[in-house]
Amino acid sequence: MTEGSGPLVPGPYARRRPLDKAAVVVTGGIYKKWVQRNISATLPHAFEQLEISGTMDNFRRLLGESPASFRGLPFQDSDVYKTLEGAAWSLSFGENPVIREWFERTVELVGRVQQPDGYINTNFQRADREQEPWSDLTNGHELYCLGHLLQAGIAAHRSIGDQALLEIGRRFADLVVDRFGGDSPATCGHPEIETAMIELYRETGDSKYLDLAQRFIERRGNGFIGEGMFGPQYYQDDMGVRETRIMRGHAVRALYLNAGVTDLYLETGDTELLDVMKAQWNDMTRYRMYITGGTGSRHRDEAFGDAYELPSERAYAETCAGIALMHWAWRMHLATGEPGYLDEYERCLYNVVSAGVSDDGTHFFYSNPLQRRRDHGASQQESAGNRLPWFSCACCPPNVTRTFSSIDSYLASTSEEDIAVTTYATAQLAFEGVTLEMVTDYPAAGEVSITVTGESSRDLKLRIPQWADISEVRLRRNGIATDIVVESGWVRLEGALTDGNLLQLDLPLEPKLVVGHPEIDAVRGATAVVRGPVVYCAEQRDNISPIDAALFRAGTRILEHDKAELGPVSAALGPRLRSQAYVRVETADNIPLYYEYSNDNPVVGTGEVILRPYASWGNGEPDSMRVWLPVAERHPPTVQ
Ligand code: FUB
Ligand code: ZN
C-alpha cells in the first residue's frame, strides 16, 4: 500500500502526516476489542437495522424491487453510506464473508439507483417526492449524503482497492461540480461535502474538487441558506468562515465544517484559515465543551450554547458531534504538529464516543448526558438510560461503525525528522524499515512498552498527555531509568530507533478530582473524578447509598475497587473506583424543595461511592447516573 491507505491523506501544508492504515496492525488491548466488536456485532447489527428501518428498501423501490413506501428522513441514504464506509475499512483487518457480501451487494444496489447524469438520492428520486431535487439545499441534505457517499468510496478504494463505489461517487461529484461550481452562491445546509470533496481531490488529483470545496467554504455567510428552521447561525451561515471566532450553531454541522476548513488549509497553506480554526478551537475548549468531550448542549437545535452553558442533565452531546470533533482534532494536529489537540481527541474517544455504543456493540446513545435521574423518561432521540438499537434519526450508529473500523489510523504521525506515537495501543507500527511493537493496557494502565525492530536515524517522539504530572512520568531505555525532558507535550528520543531497543514508558494514572470553571453554574460546587483520559461517573446500580444525594468530602481518597460489573470492552477503560469518604444525605420526602439556609444540613452518615468509567454506564437496568458530585464542604457543613 502506498501512503494514503487511511481515512485522511493531508496535503503539502501538513506539519505531520498520518501513518498509513496498512502500516498498522492492531494486536491487542482495547483497540482490538473495538475492532472485533465492530466487525462481529455492530456492522451485522447495522445491516439488519438498515433493513428494518426501510432504508435499503428506499433504494430497492426505485428499481421496482420493493413495494414498500419511502420511509425515514431525507438524509437516510447517508446511513447506508456511513455503513459502507465502516464495512470497507473493516475489511482491511481481514476478509469477512458477511461484510464483503453486504458491501458488494449494496454497492451494486446504489450503482443501479444512480441516474445517468450521476445523481443519487432516494428521497428526491422517488415519484412521490415532496420536493424537487436541489430545491432545498437548506434542509435537503443532498450534498451531505454525497459527502458520505464519497467518503465510503474513498475508504473502499484505499482499504480494499475497490473502484466501483468511488466511481459512483465521482460521477455524482462531477454533476455537482458542473451545477454548483463557478459563481453559484450555493452551499449545503449540513457541512460534510467540504471535507469529502477535498479527500476526493486527494484521491484523484483532480483540482476541480478542491476548487468546489473551497467555494462551498468561502460562500458560507452569504445568506444563501436563509433562515431555515433555526436561523442562519444554526447552519454556520450567519458569518463568513474567516470572520468567525466562536463555535456556534448545530454542533455536528459546525465540527464537520471545521474539519473541512482545516483540510482546506492543509491543501492551500492559507494561514488566515488556520488562525480562525485555532480561535474557534480555543473558544470551544475554553467555553463550550463537556469534560467528556461532548459538545452541543442545547436539545432544541442540537447546538452549541453560550459560554459555560454546560448543563449535565440536559447535555445533548450527540455521539456524532464527538466523532466530528475527533476528525477536526486530528486535522489540527497534522496542521500544527502540536499534540495538545490529541488530548481532546482522546477525551472524545474514551468518553463521549465510547459511551455512544453499548458494551456488546448493538445499542447506542444519541445524546450523552452527564447525569440521568432515576425517573428520566425516553423521548425521541433520548433513551431512558439504556441505549437503543437504532433511531428514527439514525446518524449516530453508522457513524460509530466507520469510527471503530478506522481507529487504527490515528496511532502515529510522522515528520521529516521523526515518528511520533500519538496515542498508546497494543499494535505494531511499521515505518520505513522500522517496526515498533507497542504493548499496553492503556487507558486502563499507564505502562507502555515499545520494542524496536530495524533501524532509522529518525527520532522517536512519545506524546505526554497534558493530564500527566510530568514529574511522575517514568521512562526506561533497555531497562535503565532515563531522565526525560517534555517539550511542548512530547518526549523526543534520539537514537531510539535501533534494532532491539526496548522503551518502557510509565504514565501516572492516579485518579484525580477535578472541578469546573466557576462560571459553569451547572457544576459549581461539584467535583468529577478522572483517571488519565477517562472520565468517571457514579451509577446507582454500583451503589447502595443514593448517588443523587451524595456529597464528596474534600480530601477524599480515590482507591481502585475492581473490574467487576464492567463489560468486556468497558473493563479495558479502567477499573471501578471507590471513594473512601462519602457523606450520605437522606432523600427524605419531608425535605422541601426549598428551605432556609442553616447549618442543620440533613447529613446522616458516611459511606462510600463506587465509580465506573463514564463510557461504561447504561449497560444495565436504567437508573441514576452522574459525573459531577457536589462537594460536601461547599454545602452547609455539619458532617458528624
Ligand atoms: O442532519 C443530519 C444529522 O441528523 C445531524 O448531523 C444530526 O445532528 C442529526 O440531526
Ligand atoms: Zn448522530
Side-chain angles (χ1 to χ4, degrees), residues 73 75 78 82 141 144 190 234 250-253 256 302 316 318 320 366 393-396:
L73 296 168
F75 50 86
S78 62
K82 287 185 216 171
H141 287 76
Y144 166 87
H190 196 312
Y234 168 87
H250 183 269
V252 182
R253 283 172 167 81
Y256 279 165
E302 306 181 310
Y316 198 68
E318 185 181 337
C320 285
Y366 185 115
C393 171
C395 50
C396 301

Side-chain angles (χ1 to χ4, degrees), residues 1 36 107 130 140 149 177 213 217 274 414 433 469 505 545 563:
M1 282 279 177
Q36 284 180 338
V107 170
E130 283 151 20
L149 173 62
V177 169
I217 287 169
L274 185 60
T414 64
D469 179 348
L505 179 70
S545 310
K563 289 194 175 179

Side-chain angles (χ1 to χ4, degrees), residues 194-222:
E194 299 78 3
T195 190
M197 278 282 177
I198 294 174
E199 278 284 80
L200 184 61
Y201 157 66
R202 292 167 176 157
E203 198 61 16
T204 62
D206 192 334
S207 60
K208 70 182 179 191
Y209 305 122
L210 175 63
D211 177 70
L212 185 58
Q214 177 147 22
R215 287 173 195 272
F216 282 145
I217 287 169
E218 302 284 7
R219 286 173 195 162
R220 295 207 96 79
N222 69 4

